[in-house]
């Protein structure tokens, strides 16, 4: 299941191509089957999920890729142009060297050698997939107005932010940080109050 093809119903259920997607854990037997698969090979279990649910950067292709069960191939986006691409890799391909490294337990490493980016996975890929006009989140400020909503009250400031608007705000923030001289590898701390 990839998030590019998902929409949400009013009750919060995920829908893919008109078909409701449900939690695969419907019974205790389902749970036991998945638990045993996880115990048998922790890296494979989580790797199979990660290659489908997360886009990984492939330096050789200069692209962000994920495995599509629907298309039965690796697909993604060119990192420079954002255009859709298909990667000529087998399903067994892994965009990392080791999915789970427990050689220095308890200092475990996940997806060693893999390259991904939380912001790309949460924002960019949805816009590139054509979901830029969907609501990313609803913002409500801290201040409350008791007279709103027929006396029930409501936030003084409230508005919706689309995925495309969020992408633009993230880009503006990145440019502002770069203009301060920050570069790759720098460590910073941001105070993020309840503001946009």
């Amino acid at each position: 299941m990839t998030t590019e093809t998902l929409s949400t119903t009013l009750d919060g259920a995920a829908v893919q191509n008109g078909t409701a997607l449900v939690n695969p854990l419907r019974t205790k037997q389902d749970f036991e089957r998945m638990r045993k698969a996880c115990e048998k090979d922790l890296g494979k279990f989580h790797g199979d999920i990660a290659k489908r649910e997360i886009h990984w950067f492939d330096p050789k292709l200069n692209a962000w890729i994920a495995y599509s069960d629907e298309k039965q191939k690796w697909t993604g986006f060119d990192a420079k142009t954002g255009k859709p691409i298909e990667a000529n890799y087998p399903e067994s391909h892994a965009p990392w060297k080791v999915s789970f490294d427990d050689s220095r337990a308890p200092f475990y490493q996940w997806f060693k050698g893999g390259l991904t980016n939380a912001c790309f996975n949460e924002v960019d890929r949805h816009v590139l997939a054509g979901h830029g006009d969907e609501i990313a989140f609803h913002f409500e400020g801290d201040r409350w107005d008791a007279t709103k909503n027929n006396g029930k009250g409501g936030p003084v400031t409230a508005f919706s932010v689309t995925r495309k608007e969020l992408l633009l705000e993230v880009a503006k923030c990145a440019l502002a940080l770069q203009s301060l001289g920050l570069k790759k590898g720098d460590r910073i701390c941001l105070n993020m109050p309840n503001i946009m």
Side-chain angles (χ1 to χ4, degrees):
M1 164 174 69
T2 59
T3 53
E4 289 81 16
T5 58
L6 294 180
S7 60
T8 306
T9 63
L10 290 175
D11 65 356
V15 175
Q16 182 176 24
N17 300 328
T19 304
L21 300 174
V22 295
N23 185 338
L25 299 175
R26 305 294 285 175
T27 65
K28 184 176 181 181
Q29 289 80 18
D30 292 338
F31 171 79
E32 291 298 331
R33 179 180 42 78
M34 289 185 80
R35 184 179 60 79
K36 285 178 184 171
C38 185
E39 288 174 347
K40 181 179 178 183
D41 189 341
L42 196 60
K44 180 181 180 338
F45 179 81
H46 290 288
D48 287 346
I49 295 169
K51 76 179 187 182
R52 289 172 172 83
E53 300 299 326
I54 298 173
H55 274 77
W56 298 87
F57 183 70
D58 185 318
K60 189 167 80 173
L61 299 174
N62 194 35
W64 292 92
I65 61 171
Y67 187 78
S68 169
D69 282 330
E70 186 179 337
K71 294 181 180 180
Q72 295 292 298
K73 58 179 65 175
W74 287 87
T75 63
F77 305 99
D78 182 276
K80 189 171 186 175
T81 66
K83 294 195 186 299
I85 62 111
E86 290 184 358
N88 192 20
Y89 292 135
E91 180 183 3
S92 61
H93 173 71
W96 49 79
K97 290 181 174 65
V98 178
S99 56
F100 177 63
D101 181 357
D102 61 351
S103 63
R104 294 181 43 228
F107 303 102
Y108 303 106
Q109 289 186 303
W110 287 94
F111 308 112
K112 199 171 177 179
L115 300 171
T116 192
N117 180 286
C119 190
F120 181 86
N121 278 282
E122 292 297 326
V123 181
D124 303 47
R125 71 177 179 164
H126 300 294
V127 175
L128 291 171
H131 301 285
D133 292 329
E134 292 177 1
I135 301 300
F137 65 90
H138 299 284
F139 174 79
E140 291 185 357
D142 290 335
R143 293 183 47 226
W144 193 259
D145 182 349
T147 64
K148 285 189 168 188
N149 198 16
N150 295 322
K152 294 178 184 174
V156 172
T157 304
F159 54 89
S160 297
V161 179
T162 66
R163 293 179 187 275
K164 193 181 307 177
E165 290 169 332
L166 182 59
L167 178 62
L168 292 173
E169 290 300 319
V170 168
K172 286 183 347 189
C173 182
L175 289 172
L177 293 173
Q178 282 180 339
S179 73
L180 294 173
L182 293 171
K183 55 193 176 308
K184 185 176 180 176
D186 287 346
R187 307 256 189 311
I188 63 169
C189 181
L190 296 174
N191 178 15
M192 299 291 289
N194 190 18
I195 59 171
M196 276 304 300

